[in-house]
Amino acid sequence: MSKPKHITIVGAGLVGSLLAVYLNRRGYKVSVFEKRADMRKSNVSAGRSINLALAQRGIHALEQAGLMNDVLPLLIPMKGRMLHEIGSQPEFFPYGQREHEVIYSVSRGGLNNMMMTAAESNSDTEFFFEHELVDVDLKNDHLKFVDLGVGKERSVSFDFLIGADGGGSQVRSELMEACGGKCSAEMLDHDYKELEIPADKDGGFLIDKNSLHIWPRGGFMLIALPNLDGSFTVTLFMPTRGETSFEQISKNNVASFFEEVFPSAAKLMPELETDFCLNPTGDLGTIRCYPWVHDNAMILGDAAHAIVPFHGQGMNCGFEDCAKLDRLLNEFDDDWTRAADEFQKTRKPNADAIADMALENYVIMRDSVSDDLFQKKKVLGFELERRFPRRFIPRYSMVMFHDIPYHDAIQRGLIQDEIMSGLLKGKDDPLDVDYEAAETLIVEKLSELTFAF
Ligand SMILES: Cc1cc2nc3c(=O)[nH]c(=O)nc-3n(C[C@H](O)[C@H](O)[C@H](O)COP(=O)(O)OP(=O)(O)OC[C@H]3O[C@@H](n4cnc5c(N)ncnc54)[C@H](O)[C@@H]3O)c2cc1C
């Protein structure tokens, strides 16, 4: 198995498509099986969110795959959060303090289609759409698909199998069973629904184009990301059940609910009632499992580590998986046994760390962004980063603007938070702190970072 010639990928979502590009650049014959129809030919949606936030880790992986020139026209920079509190003017909070410290809104379908086309431009890569995986025989290296176009089963054998089939991965189920692995699915008791703020009549943006808009309301929130056509995709995150929940909102009261709790957004959403009724409500969860590799099969992307979307990192992390696997294949001279094993060992702690940070960020986004101590720590964090750039980087920036392993980001973030809490004790002005004491603590507690800026 060490050096297979033919790689079979299940799932032509974001991660499977990027992986196909990486693997055909390495000279492999690649077959990708996808249950959906080809989004480039038929009007099927890419599923889940319409647009996503792309950040440094994802950009780096796209650059390494040679795709960045094709991605650039799809991007809208978002420089910070625009907070919409009831009864006050929207307030802007930058994500970072350097010009390049922005994240980008990108269309899921546009990005997915571009990557599939790039992969297919290599004659050794073939996509099989409308092929739903229904059975995995890891002992005999056989897969069974239903060809949904003709309604017939089809058997396929594989050299090396990669499951990039998302959070509900069938490859993962079989792999866990085959090797007695452990898997947990922790569902959030909050769901989401996508809505829309359309463009104005001239195709312009009705709210600031270069922000990620948030209407934080404590137990729930609304967010909006810009699209190239002047519209915004709006997402409502809210408890599934309870007093203010999806259970309580229907066509009859959605307009009055929005007018009461999101008045500034409600007036920009003429199709609110229709969108609310027609658009599906999605659930959210975290998958933790191990191992990710068994003989000549492995999983990556959401199939290995689906996370909640509140740090905007699921796709970015999956893209980073592709770049890391490629680097390990370089390092081990395409010995897949060693590369895949090293991949799972080094990625798993990082996947767990971003899963934890993503869950934490839900509370931050819907609640703490408007909290006084949170804002003071933001201001102080930027100042400490400016003064001690090799040792202190705000955690959000470590995750979004750097390639620092997620596990290191979470560990350093805890220490940094403790340092800032101490410095801010009894202070009204977050910049009026003892910087000598700060330096002593930072040097003592945080090692110097060795990455390139
Ligand atoms: C509301 C929301 C917002 C998000 N926002 C962001 C964001 O801003 N930034 C970010 O980085 N991430 C975000 N994410 C996470 C991101 O969507 C996922 O991490 C990403 O899509 C994972 O890609 P994937 O290819 O691993 O899985 P998927 O995108 O789920 O792709 C899996 C593919 O496998 C196919 N498939 C599944 N089962 C089978 C089968 N049996 N046979 C054949 N094919 C199959 C599916 O049809 C699909 O095409 C968000 C997620 C949600 C839900």
Side-chain angles (χ1 to χ4, degrees), residues 11 15 34-36 48 53 108 133 165 302 312 314-316:
V15 173
E34 166 59 51
K35 73 176 171 191
R36 290 181 321 224
R48 306 218 251 163
R108 180 188 288 267
L133 179 72
D165 48 345
D302 272 20
M315 165 189 69
N316 286 286

Side-chain angles (χ1 to χ4, degrees), residues 10-17 33-36 46 48-49 51-54 108 112 131-134 145 164-170 192 194 225 235 237 283-284 300-303 306-309 311-318:
V10 180
L14 293 167
V15 173
S17 301
F33 291 87
E34 166 59 51
K35 73 176 171 191
R36 290 181 321 224
R48 306 218 251 163
S49 58
N51 56 19
L52 309 105
L54 176 70
R108 180 188 288 267
N112 210 150
H131 274 66
E132 180 171 9
L133 179 72
V134 289
F145 292 93
D165 48 345
S169 170
Q170 173 129 12
Y192 73 95
E194 291 198 331
L225 273 72
T235 313
F237 294 97
D283 55 16
L284 301 163
L300 42 62
D302 272 20
I307 59 177
V308 294
H311 220 306
Q313 279 292 310
M315 165 189 69
N316 286 286
C317 179

Side-chain angles (χ1 to χ4, degrees), residues 133-201:
L133 179 72
V134 289
D135 192 43
V136 184
D137 179 350
L138 292 177
K139 271 200 190 113
N140 299 302
D141 301 343
H142 253 91
L143 304 174
K144 201 181 282 168
F145 292 93
V146 172
D147 180 338
L148 301 169
V150 292
K152 276 197 177 150
E153 279 192 355
R154 174 174 179 179
S155 281
V156 172
S157 58
F158 63 85
D159 250 3
F160 193 95
L161 169 67
I162 301 185
D165 48 345
S169 170
Q170 173 129 12
V171 177
R172 179 183 68 235
S173 306
E174 300 294 336
L175 195 144
M176 290 301 125
E177 200 172 314
C179 61
K182 282 200 181 128
C183 187
S184 72
E186 183 196 332
M187 296 315 289
L188 204 64
D189 49 3
H190 288 228
D191 292 337
Y192 73 95
K193 190 183 276 287
E194 291 198 331
L195 305 163
E196 193 198 27
I197 294 178
D200 70 16
K201 60 179 180 1

